[in-house]
Amino acid sequence: MAILVSIVSRPYHADRSSQINNNNNAGGFQALKPALAVYPQFLEMLVTRLSSADHALCANALQLINSLMRDAITNDNETEWPKFIKRIQDLGVIKAVYVLMQSSALQDLAHPLLEFQALTKILLRRWRDVPVDLVKPEHRRTIKAVHLSSNPEKQPEFEVRNGESKSKHNPLKWRRLGFTSENPEPDFADMGFLGMMDLSDYVRKYQDEFQNILLEQSVLPEQQRCPLARASLTLTAILFEHFEVDKMDLEDSKSYLALESRTNFDKVFKPLLLHWSRLHVAGLHAFFRLWKATGAEVDDFPKIVELVRILVESVVGGADRTKGIEDIEKEMAAFEYSKLRELQMELLELTYEDVWGQHLRGVKEELQSEALQFVKEQRIRCLLAGAWFPNGTYTDQEGGGPVTEDTLVQNTTHGYRFIRLSENRKYLHWGDFDEKEEQSPSTASLRDKIDLSIVSSVVSNVTANDRSSIGSDSTLKELLHDRFTTNKITIHGFLPKSRGSREGHSRTSSKTSSPRHGTKEAVLLTFHPNGHSLASEWLDGLLMLLDQQPITAETNSLIHMISDYGLKVRLLNVRFNDEEGIVEGMDGMDGPEIPSREGLDDDYYYEI
């Protein structure tokens, strides 16, 4: 086998065409054609050797297949080499090489596998470079099969002058399938015969689905119909770009150099490239799903294309070498639209960060400040509205043991405390009540108040009670369910000594003291919010009221979300100039011209 490879793999010479007529000098695929005619089972035997446990035999067999493919593509005419490629593909060479690329024997077969991958890219590029010409019988048969698979309606016949009966031409024959006009040939200009092959393959394998989609869309307005043919051709272009088929010559040498380290196999080998057809179908299904989920129209076609491109880059580009095509298909089918939008916005932000980084940082700081002021006002308004807080002791049961009636009484709520910020935002009014009233009490009815100018700090303690002592009785669980996690907020401040002793019923002096105006620091007020959201509102509201930064994750997350959405809205309203690499209007010259307001009154405006 090794001798055969060395003979067949002779380098191509410029005068090969003159040597082919001489059977003694013929090489490559031409040299084996007589033998293949006598022994047609030779190629089948060669493909079966790819499943051998002998790695050397596998490598030699694959190297011979590579040599035959390369020679056929290089020297055969346009009609001969596709027949040979189809023949070896029908024998299962794609599946066999795919298994080898995912196996642990990759290191021993690295070079022939990489060459087969490069040849696959050459084939894709050759098919792409073949222009679609409907005059050619093969191309005409392929596009006609696509049309017939759509189950078109039969047109009524009419009589012509010469006595022959012909069917009336359908004015929407090709646009019904998703082409831009009644001449489908221009739509294949970018992807050539490769695009036609992918479309034909999908229609042949999923004919029922193809017909059902067309039938469903026939009752929809024309603007809401998904252009199937354009979607298929677009998926071919996306895959062509993703696998960098056009960069094959440049990347080929780099890949061979990368193999020397034996550590870059996952980066160099792309087994999913061999399942081009299945990736195309999976992407097309995702396109249809996103079209329906978003309620897209024809004008939204480029937007869906961008989402599908992100989907391919995320799922296919993020897959490792050993991930199967079945898993890729499932992941593409289950990928949510909302997650795609998040990825799209992240990419958009990174794009503008690279181009407009300095200006973008200033916008971020401005939006962060605006979001902070917005959340501050929202939190303070929660304080202005007031809230009820349970006035219980919330003591932990130390030492464990069963829950008894005494411990239940100990943790029972002793009335409620209502707290509200005054309208001038200078005082915090509060009062204790035996029961929670339906109507919030007025500020005048609250007998105690705290001057916020004497507040020194606001501290929050979150404690988790021990659950190990709770029995299995469901009634006890219901009674104590909301008391396992408590949020305690304590307001400290400086009080005169006389006042601190007079109002000791609700304020406990701390051990620390301060020389501030001869006063000492004391606990001014303590309350227990019965939820994390309420605790976040009051703790951060009090802190921001005292011109301090918020500390809870919920408030900071809200600030970040508001500023982030503000930035995304601004980015969506900015148009990027790909040619000059700037954002329109940045240099003061590319912005729209402001029209004159001469002769206009105040009720008229221009929309720019």
Side-chain angles (χ1 to χ4, degrees), residues 1 41-51 60-62 64-65 68:
M1 185 68 72
Q41 68 274 17
F42 173 75
L43 287 178
E44 182 179 357
M45 179 272 297
L46 198 60
V47 173
T48 57
R49 293 296 183 269
L50 298 179
S51 304
N60 290 332
L62 184 56
L64 178 55
I65 293 175
L68 294 175

Side-chain angles (χ1 to χ4, degrees), residues 27-42:
F29 185 51
Q30 295 292 333
L32 287 185
K33 271 189 175 181
L36 291 177
V38 178
Y39 302 101
Q41 68 274 17
F42 173 75

Side-chain angles (χ1 to χ4, degrees), residues 347-358 360:
L347 291 174
L348 180 66
E349 186 174 349
L350 291 175
T351 301
Y352 283 107
E353 181 72 33
D354 294 338
V355 179
W356 205 20
Q358 180 179 358
L360 202 58

Side-chain angles (χ1 to χ4, degrees), residues 403 408 469-481 484:
V403 176
L408 285 177
S469 61
I470 302 302
S472 60
D473 188 86
S474 60
T475 304
L476 295 179
K477 288 184 178 181
E478 292 176 1
L479 289 173
L480 301 176
H481 177 72
F484 290 120

